[in-house]
Amino acid sequence: MGKDKGPSFNLKTPKGTKDWSGSDALLRDRIFTTISNVFKRHGGTALDTPVFELREILAGKYGEDSKLIYDLQDQGGEICSLRYDLTVPFARWLAMNSDVRSIKRYHIAKVYRRDQPAVSKGRMREFYQCDFDIAGTFDPMVPDAEILRIVSEVFEELGWSGRYTIKLNHRKILDGVFAVCGVPEDKIRPISSAVDKLDKMPWADVRKEMVDDKGLDGEVADRIEKYVMNKGSRELLDTLLKDETLNANVTAKAGLEDMALMMDYLEAFGVLDKVSFDMSLARGLDYYTGVIYEVVTEGSAGVQADAPEAQKAQKSSKKDKSKNSEDDDRSNDPTLGVGSVAAGGRYDNLVGMFLPKAQIPCVGISFGVDRIFSITKARLEREQSIDALRSSEVDAYVMAFGGKGFSGMLKERMEICQKLWSAGVKAEFNYKLKPKLPQQFKAAEQGAIPFAVILGEEELAAGKCRIKEMGLPEGHPEKEGVEVTLDSLVSELKTRLSKKSDGAVTSLAQQLQGASV
Amino acid sequence: MGKDKGPSFNLKTPKGTKDWSGSDALLRDRIFTTISNVFKRHGGTALDTPVFELREILAGKYGEDSKLIYDLQDQGGEICSLRYDLTVPFARWLAMNSDVRSIKRYHIAKVYRRDQPAVSKGRMREFYQCDFDIAGTFDPMVPDAEILRIVSEVFEELGWSGRYTIKLNHRKILDGVFAVCGVPEDKIRPISSAVDKLDKMPWADVRKEMVDDKGLDGEVADRIEKYVMNKGSRELLDTLLKDETLNANVTAKAGLEDMALMMDYLEAFGVLDKVSFDMSLARGLDYYTGVIYEVVTEGSAGVQADAPEAQKAQKSSKKDKSKNSEDDDRSNDPTLGVGSVAAGGRYDNLVGMFLPKAQIPCVGISFGVDRIFSITKARLEREQSIDALRSSEVDAYVMAFGGKGFSGMLKERMEICQKLWSAGVKAEFNYKLKPKLPQQFKAAEQGAIPFAVILGEEELAAGKCRIKEMGLPEGHPEKEGVEVTLDSLVSELKTRLSKKSDGAVTSLAQQLQGASV
């Protein structure tokens, strides 16, 4: 390569992929930590599978979407493909490990889809999934309810309290409704997908699709409307439990009994008020066999829309908010509905696809971390949170100044850093022998580092230095910093760090909780 | 798929890859957390790059090893390959982001090599790298010294205090030595790789390779011996600084001056005593331009071998330990020497391969997490640490018991779990309506969960429950547990958790520090 020529190739990442760096990488990392802490709190155990699988493991699992699978080149040896999701590798692992009859596993990792990317909308070819699943044969609805408790803990700890709704339905209730309304057996799945669109189109349009496109009798559609437009909680369940037609259908009855148990358990877990029993929720994937759920947030369809009035009010307010990026973001993840930030359900038959004798019932949730990231970042930016701009979590910048003939005090700065690091304090210093003071302050400001530790030659000779909180307003008594002895530096700094409410140690929840939008 | 037939394909992971689950996954995760906490403490910012790159980005970077690169199939569109390491993607990112002139970045991620796998020896086709690099133009040796401080913090916090040595050398010193000893220019790299083998073969064999295989004059070899067999610290440097022949060589002189600065800075950082200036360290990769280093631990070559006597003593003691797995483990990572657990150096010319005008000097370290994992796991097992067996970090198992007609107290167990989760305590319960008490205790034991929270109907009616520490010896005053009020349950449990020194909250360092082997 000649010294005067540029490289002969494109300096870019492959189509539909991107680098994550700086404040985006740090924020996403904090979201992962928040989510995995909740997973661990519920006894979740980590599973890590290879990024590629034997191609035959993935074959026949994704229907039409199989064309989106990335294949590895045949370089001799086995034929492999990049994983498309984390669920099939989990089912493969369960089938392989026949000693494991039950497990709570979590997996946070990238998956790959050769889809048409739309980077600006967050639709990527390489993206993260955060999955938690409970496998095993247990008494009905107990693990299912814990999954929704997990969902609630995640969003509370992300600082979304009061801003999200868990939409809940049951495949068997929906299938029972279709049966008693008179939907022919072969039309149940197509009609179900039409119902699933109620979060983004009005009933009239959905009815039109059912009747005109899918050949459903108009009267059948009208009977369906009476059921699927309902949203609520226990009172809706009580109404349905009194519905003799519905209860005469064994499938529906089984679903309603599950739902009654579920609500009892959700109450014991303290999350019933976060859940909306939403009869229009159908979920796209065929493999669900029991409860299904989807989490929506402000700006995405259906939130706080338990009553038609609320829904209408929400629609008009949505218009005002359409400039916010979360309204437009669409994930390419088919496990997530449009506008949802997490979704899942019970799937009792998937493991059996690998090993019929190893049938293991499962229930799980997948968090759409790309959408959660965009929404969280937009909120931090709107609230002008300094943390939105940070690219590291450094607590203190160790700097020095001096007059004419100033040595730069490099080794002294190193020794102070060493002291701070040994005490677990995150600290940086300038790598120059004789950095200028404004240069050092600028670095601390750019990194949004909350504290400066300032060394002066005279102070240091007296065994002292200065702690200065960055960004204090003029006139603040500590604006110029406070002098402390070197012996007390660590404890004085730690006290200030823990006091600083919006400092580096703050959780996302503390930062975002109750903040106005 | 018929019910009686098994699947028609192999249930396995691709060759050279494996699933990580249970206690192995948890232990590896704790190692990652320990390492990334140190990286963050030094102001490291995370970089995440796609798992595949445009093939032309990787081309021409790995010499002969290019044949080990995994290619993606051409499915139309760009031609891509899986990344081979994290360094080339970092250099590509630096070249692409011309606004970034300096950065401390870390990256913990998987890399891919179509090598002949040896799973039992830990040589895999998919494995993790943990890299920290400092890019930018600074005053000499300042970031270089911080990298070694980082190395020391990582191993101290992994609990390896006193069990590792950082071998340090400088490419310019080595090249200067070869020059003054009379090695012809074209033989410098081959002779350098021969020297690099001194950690696993005696001088006589290395000399033989130099003279017989590589055609070096025997007298030149003998002159080399006088230099490269030296190990030490400041006193060795002082001797070399007085060596007029060596100092007459500009390259050697520059290297020695760097080394003098380095030692000053290492002292300021409090890590000089962990470093051995080892003139036989050469490091395989061609792209190093300054300091080079490698971390060795007990059982791997060269540790505590500052004097020939020590080396001899170590060799015989090594024999006794040969049953320990770490002696045999060999990483396939060419950035790591045989027997080393971390390695790196300064490489000032790599970024320029992508964009000559964007030349950015770099210095970095890569931790061999697979070897660190094996050694840590072996130690935990030898010390029969309960944590070696744990697959989750659960603090408490909430259980219930009762006499005839016992309800199972499912909702009560759920409510207690809810209380614990809300307080951040990691808790589990049995998913059965009416589990038997021995069954619940067995689950707690199998999970090595330190505490049981036991509900009885009468106690609960009186607003009380029982906290029982698992595994207490017979006769211990709290063997049967202690009764606490429900209101004080969380605080009583948290007090006990923080007291329990070998409990789930312990760091690896606390667990392994000072333990006998």
Side-chain angles (χ1 to χ4, degrees):
Chain A
M1 212 182 297
K3 268 210 167 181
D4 301 316
K5 284 192 290 178
S8 57
F9 48 85
N10 276 330
L11 266 181
K12 64 184 282 292
T13 62
K15 188 174 174 180
T17 70
K18 58 175 278 194
D19 297 319
W20 286 77
S21 64
S23 55
D24 281 0
L26 182 62
L27 177 58
R28 195 180 61 167
D29 196 46
R30 293 175 71 192
I31 292 171
F32 287 146
T33 304
T34 304
I35 294 176
S36 61
N37 280 346
V38 174
F39 290 169
K40 288 177 194 168
R41 189 182 304 144
H42 288 263
T45 151
L47 176 67
D48 175 34
T49 64
V51 82
F52 48 82
E53 295 274 346
L54 296 181
R55 196 167 301 163
E56 56 198 11
I57 297 282
L58 305 188
K61 304 299 181 305
Y62 304 107
E64 266 191 16
D65 282 350
S66 293
K67 67 178 188 298
L68 302 182
I69 292 176
Y70 274 98
D71 292 329
L72 290 186
Q73 193 172 303
D74 180 1
Q75 292 169 284
E78 297 162 339
I79 305 297
C80 300
S81 299
L82 298 188
R83 66 182 162 216
Y84 179 86
D85 65 11
L86 304 176
T87 311
V88 166
F90 176 48
R92 189 264 305 149
W93 181 84
L94 278 171
M96 264 175 74
N97 291 273
S98 54
D99 53 320
V100 179
R101 270 15 277 143
S102 72
I103 191 170
K104 297 185 226 178
R105 92 84 175 76
Y106 70 89
H107 197 176
I108 299 181
K110 288 174 174 178
V111 299
Y112 298 88
R113 296 180 189 178
R114 284 184 65 257
D115 208 347
Q116 200 49 40
V119 177
S120 65
K121 292 184 180 168
R123 191 157 70 245
M124 304 295 288
R125 289 178 159 199
E126 176 188 61
F127 60 96
Y128 263 97
Q129 289 197 330
C130 299
D131 285 18
F132 187 100
D133 293 81
I134 303 177
T137 305
F138 306 110
D139 278 318
M141 296 299 111
V142 186
D144 311 58
E146 185 165 352
I147 294 281
L148 296 197
R149 167 74 199 188
I150 287 170
V151 168
S152 151
E153 282 182 33
V154 163
F155 288 106
E156 295 294 321
E157 285 169 37
L158 286 171
W160 293 29
S161 194
R163 297 162 179 270
Y164 66 96
T165 299
I166 305 170
K167 301 200 311 191
L168 170 67
N169 201 3
H170 196 298
R171 264 290 159 85
K172 288 184 180 168
I173 299 178
L174 209 55
D175 287 354
V177 163
F178 294 143
V180 303
C181 291
V183 178
E185 186 68 34
D186 64 324
K187 287 203 165 67
I188 284 191
R189 287 274 74 85
I191 294 306
S192 180
S193 14
V195 166
D196 202 37
K197 294 177 185 162
L198 277 171
D199 59 354
K200 51 181 187 295
M201 41 164 98
W203 168 254
D205 294 355
V206 169
R207 187 184 188 280
K208 198 163 176 295
E209 181 177 324
M210 288 176 172
V211 177
D212 296 358
D213 304 351
K214 295 179 171 167
L216 192 71
D217 187 316
E219 280 179 34
V220 175
D222 294 336
R223 282 197 289 270
I224 293 175
E225 182 189 9
K226 295 215 166 60
Y227 284 108
V228 298
M229 297 305 283
N230 288 302
K231 292 179 175 63
S233 188
R234 275 196 194 276
E235 78 299 339
L236 172 57
L237 178 66
D238 290 342
T239 310
L240 295 172
L241 284 168
K242 282 177 209 140
D243 181 327
E244 284 177 23
T245 324
L246 197 57
N247 280 271
N249 179 286
V250 283
T251 308
K253 194 169 167 17
L256 290 171
E257 281 166 3
D258 272 358
M259 194 59 91
L261 269 180
M262 185 74 165
M263 290 201 178
D264 274 3
Y265 298 158
L266 291 175
E267 190 158 35
F269 280 149
V271 292
L272 187 56
D273 60 330
K274 278 135 189 130
V275 174
S276 166
F277 176 16
D278 184 330
M279 295 188 74
S280 72
L281 179 71
R283 308 280 294 112
L285 295 177
D286 283 355
Y287 58 60
Y288 289 116
T289 55
V291 286
I292 46 180
Y293 30 80
E294 201 167 283
V295 181
V296 290
T297 185
E298 51 182 18
S300 66
V303 71
Q304 293 168 349
D306 292 344
E309 290 76 9
Q311 204 167 22
K312 227 185 287 168
Q314 192 233 344
K315 266 190 187 146
S316 59
S317 80
K318 210 180 140 177
K319 215 171 167 185
D320 306 332
K321 285 184 186 164
S322 61
K323 55 186 179 298
N324 298 337
S325 64
E326 62 262 42
D327 292 325
D328 318 313
D329 263 9
R330 200 189 128 233
S331 167
N332 62 332
D333 191 343
T335 52
L336 291 180
V338 173
S340 77
V341 287
R346 173 163 285 283
Y347 52 101
D348 285 349
N349 304 325
L350 193 64
V351 179
M353 288 181 75
F354 290 103
L355 213 56
K357 67 177 161 37
Q359 196 55 278
I360 300 179
C362 297
V363 61
I365 182 81
S366 185
F367 291 87
V369 80
D370 289 330
R371 306 204 79 228
I372 292 171
F373 168 81
S374 315
I375 296 172
T376 305
K377 186 182 172 186
R379 278 191 62 199
L380 288 169
E381 282 173 351
R382 278 200 301 278
E383 288 154 21
Q384 299 184 297
S385 162
I386 199 132
D387 277 44
L389 308 165
R390 301 196 71 179
S391 62
S392 78
E393 298 168 338
V394 174
D395 299 319
Y397 199 99
V398 175
M399 49 182 82
F401 73 98
K404 220 182 158 187
F406 172 55
S407 71
M409 301 171 81
L410 175 62
K411 279 200 256 179
E412 290 81 356
R413 288 182 282 132
M414 286 176 157
E415 279 158 3
I416 296 292
C417 274
Q418 196 253 105
K419 209 189 251 265
L420 296 176
W421 293 328
S422 297
V425 177
K426 305 187 188 85
E428 281 189 304
F429 68 104
N430 188 295
Y431 289 158
K432 291 219 167 105
L433 275 169
K434 297 183 187 180
K436 296 198 163 58
L437 193 62
Q439 201 177 32
Q440 298 174 83
F441 268 116
K442 200 179 154 200
E445 270 158 26
Q446 281 176 340
I449 297 172
F451 289 94
V453 171
I454 308 170
L455 311 184
E457 281 170 334
E458 283 176 26
E459 278 173 312
L460 202 63
K464 288 177 182 172
C465 68
R466 191 169 286 274
I467 299 175
K468 178 173 153 53
E469 185 170 343
M470 301 290 291
L472 288 180
E474 288 299 333
H476 189 285
E478 293 197 3
K479 176 73 185 166
E480 297 308 313
V482 283
E483 204 176 73
V484 299
T485 64
L486 292 179
D487 288 340
S488 66
L489 170 63
V490 167
S491 63
E492 290 281 352
L493 185 59
K494 281 194 164 180
T495 309
R496 281 169 174 76
L497 277 166
S498 62
K499 263 193 216 152
K500 198 170 160 63
S501 60
D502 59 341
V505 290
T506 327
S507 74
L508 281 169
Q510 283 170 282
Q511 247 172 276
L512 290 173
Q513 205 82 58
S516 65
V517 179
Chain B
M1 213 183 296
K3 270 209 163 183
D4 300 318
K5 284 194 289 179
S8 58
F9 47 85
N10 275 330
L11 265 181
K12 65 184 282 293
T13 61
K15 188 175 173 181
T17 71
K18 58 174 279 194
D19 298 318
W20 286 77
S21 63
S23 55
D24 281 0
L26 182 63
L27 177 59
R28 196 181 59 169
D29 196 46
R30 293 175 71 192
I31 292 170
F32 287 146
T33 305
T34 303
I35 294 175
S36 61
N37 280 346
V38 174
F39 290 169
K40 288 178 197 171
R41 189 180 306 143
H42 288 263
T45 152
L47 175 65
D48 175 35
T49 64
V51 82
F52 48 83
E53 296 274 347
L54 295 181
R55 196 168 302 165
E56 57 198 12
I57 298 281
L58 305 188
K61 304 298 180 304
Y62 304 107
E64 264 192 19
D65 282 351
S66 293
K67 66 179 188 297
L68 302 182
I69 292 176
Y70 273 99
D71 291 329
L72 289 187
Q73 192 172 304
D74 180 1
Q75 294 170 283
E78 298 162 340
I79 305 298
C80 300
S81 298
L82 297 188
R83 65 181 163 219
Y84 180 87
D85 65 10
L86 304 176
T87 311
V88 166
F90 176 47
R92 188 264 305 149
W93 181 85
L94 279 171
M96 264 175 74
N97 291 272
S98 53
D99 54 320
V100 179
R101 274 7 285 141
S102 71
I103 190 170
K104 298 184 224 175
R105 91 86 173 77
Y106 70 89
H107 196 175
I108 298 181
K110 289 174 175 177
V111 299
Y112 299 88
R113 296 182 189 177
R114 284 184 66 257
D115 208 346
Q116 199 50 40
V119 177
S120 65
K121 290 184 181 167
R123 191 157 71 244
M124 305 294 289
R125 291 180 156 196
E126 176 188 62
F127 60 97
Y128 264 96
Q129 289 196 329
C130 298
D131 284 19
F132 186 99
D133 294 82
I134 303 177
T137 306
F138 306 109
D139 278 318
M141 296 299 111
V142 186
D144 312 58
E146 185 166 353
I147 294 281
L148 296 196
R149 167 73 198 189
I150 287 171
V151 168
S152 152
E153 281 182 34
V154 163
F155 288 107
E156 295 293 321
E157 284 168 38
L158 286 170
W160 293 28
S161 195
R163 296 162 181 270
Y164 66 96
T165 299
I166 305 171
K167 301 200 309 193
L168 170 68
N169 201 4
H170 197 297
R171 263 289 158 86
K172 289 184 179 167
I173 298 179
L174 209 54
D175 288 353
V177 163
F178 294 143
V180 303
C181 290
V183 179
E185 185 71 34
D186 63 324
K187 286 202 165 69
I188 284 191
R189 288 275 73 84
I191 294 305
S192 181
S193 10
V195 166
D196 203 36
K197 294 178 186 162
L198 277 171
D199 58 355
K200 49 185 187 295
M201 41 165 97
W203 168 253
D205 295 355
V206 169
R207 186 185 189 282
K208 198 165 178 297
E209 181 179 322
M210 288 177 172
V211 177
D212 296 359
D213 304 351
K214 295 180 171 164
L216 193 72
D217 188 314
E219 280 179 34
V220 175
D222 295 336
R223 283 197 288 270
I224 292 176
E225 181 189 9
K226 293 214 166 59
Y227 285 107
V228 299
M229 296 305 283
N230 288 303
K231 292 181 175 62
S233 188
R234 276 196 194 277
E235 78 299 340
L236 172 57
L237 179 67
D238 291 341
T239 311
L240 295 172
L241 284 169
K242 282 176 210 142
D243 182 326
E244 284 176 23
T245 325
L246 198 55
N247 280 270
N249 178 287
V250 283
T251 308
K253 194 170 170 15
L256 290 172
E257 281 165 2
D258 272 357
M259 195 59 92
L261 269 181
M262 185 74 166
M263 290 200 179
D264 274 3
Y265 298 159
L266 291 175
E267 189 158 36
F269 280 149
V271 293
L272 187 56
D273 59 329
K274 278 134 189 130
V275 174
S276 164
F277 176 17
D278 184 330
M279 295 190 72
S280 71
L281 179 71
R283 309 277 297 114
L285 295 177
D286 283 354
Y287 58 61
Y288 289 114
T289 55
V291 286
I292 46 179
Y293 30 79
E294 201 167 284
V295 182
V296 291
T297 185
E298 53 183 18
S300 66
V303 71
Q304 293 168 349
D306 291 344
E309 290 76 10
Q311 204 168 23
K312 225 185 288 168
Q314 192 230 346
K315 267 191 186 144
S316 60
S317 79
K318 211 181 139 180
K319 213 172 168 185
D320 306 330
K321 285 183 188 166
S322 61
K323 55 187 179 296
N324 299 337
S325 63
E326 62 262 43
D327 292 324
D328 317 313
D329 263 7
R330 200 189 128 232
S331 167
N332 61 332
D333 190 344
T335 53
L336 290 180
V338 173
S340 78
V341 287
R346 172 163 287 282
Y347 52 101
D348 285 348
N349 303 327
L350 193 65
V351 179
M353 289 182 73
F354 290 103
L355 212 57
K357 67 179 160 40
Q359 197 56 279
I360 300 178
C362 298
V363 60
I365 182 82
S366 184
F367 291 87
V369 80
D370 289 330
R371 306 203 79 228
I372 292 172
F373 168 82
S374 313
I375 296 173
T376 306
K377 185 181 171 186
R379 277 191 63 199
L380 287 170
E381 282 174 349
R382 278 200 300 278
E383 288 152 21
Q384 298 185 298
S385 162
I386 200 132
D387 276 44
L389 308 164
R390 299 197 72 178
S391 61
S392 78
E393 298 169 336
V394 174
D395 299 319
Y397 200 97
V398 176
M399 49 182 81
F401 73 99
K404 218 181 162 189
F406 171 54
S407 71
M409 302 173 80
L410 175 61
K411 279 200 257 180
E412 290 80 358
R413 288 182 282 134
M414 286 176 158
E415 278 157 5
I416 295 293
C417 274
Q418 196 253 105
K419 209 188 251 266
L420 296 175
W421 292 329
S422 298
V425 177
K426 304 188 190 83
E428 281 189 303
F429 68 104
N430 187 294
Y431 289 157
K432 290 218 168 107
L433 274 169
K434 297 183 188 181
K436 295 197 165 59
L437 193 62
Q439 202 178 32
Q440 298 173 84
F441 267 117
K442 199 179 154 197
E445 272 159 23
Q446 281 176 340
I449 298 172
F451 289 94
V453 172
I454 308 171
L455 310 184
E457 279 169 333
E458 281 176 28
E459 277 172 314
L460 201 62
K464 290 177 179 170
C465 68
R466 192 169 285 272
I467 299 176
K468 178 175 155 49
E469 184 171 342
M470 301 289 291
L472 288 181
E474 288 300 332
H476 189 285
E478 290 197 4
K479 175 73 184 165
E480 298 308 314
V482 282
E483 203 176 75
V484 299
T485 65
L486 292 180
D487 288 342
S488 66
L489 169 64
V490 166
S491 63
E492 291 281 353
L493 185 59
K494 282 193 163 180
T495 310
R496 281 171 174 75
L497 279 167
S498 62
K499 261 192 217 155
K500 200 171 158 62
S501 60
D502 59 340
V505 291
T506 326
S507 74
L508 281 168
Q510 284 170 285
Q511 245 172 278
L512 290 174
Q513 206 78 59
S516 65
V517 178

